[in-house]
Amino acid sequence: MPTLFTRIINRELPATIVYEDEHVVAFKDIAPVAPVHIVIVPRTEIKGLSALPDDGDHRHILNAAKTIAEQLGLTGGYRLVINEGRDGGQSVDHLHAHLLGGRKMTWPPG
Ligand code: 5GP
């Protein structure tokens, strides 16, 4: 059964895609928590950060975040978040990072 995000990647569900390359697809979050809220998802279905293979090249989400932030003009900064597991606030079991920007972030997060 494909994940929700795989269905978005495959264009079976609608989303506003802002970036894609051979490794990742990025789209606007359906329930944004900041003026800019982009979800960056690897095309490969990895359940979450805890399921990331120990080997392999894992630069792609970070590189995509940097590129998207530049494209969106987030010159003042931004935040990249990965929620892992239920305690971490993960609700979709397909590894993804949240790119948040367009306002000043606060710390600690909720
Ligand atoms: P998580 O809670 O797993 O870290 O993040 C999942 C994110 O996916 C949430 O911010 C949620 O708003 C977003 N989301 C859930 N369903 C959809 C959808 O159908 N379309 C889009 N664009 N985002 C979604």
Side-chain angles (χ1 to χ4, degrees), residues 28-100:
K28 290 186 180 179
D29 197 289
I30 201 169
V33 298
V36 173
H37 187 169
I38 306 297
V39 182
I40 305 170
V41 185
R43 291 183 185 274
T44 307
E45 280 193 2
I46 299 167
K47 190 174 178 202
L49 199 54
S50 62
L52 196 67
D54 290 333
D55 58 351
D57 181 355
H58 304 311
R59 288 176 291 183
H60 308 301
I61 288 179
L62 295 180
N63 286 347
K66 180 182 157 200
T67 299
I68 296 164
E70 287 169 2
Q71 288 176 352
L72 296 179
L74 298 176
T75 53
Y78 50 88
R79 182 171 290 172
L80 195 66
V81 175
I82 295 177
N83 296 326
E84 166 57 34
R86 296 300 168 257
D87 282 359
Q90 183 176 8
S91 61
V92 177
D93 288 339
H94 184 155
L95 178 63
H96 55 282
H98 299 256
L99 175 64
L100 304 169

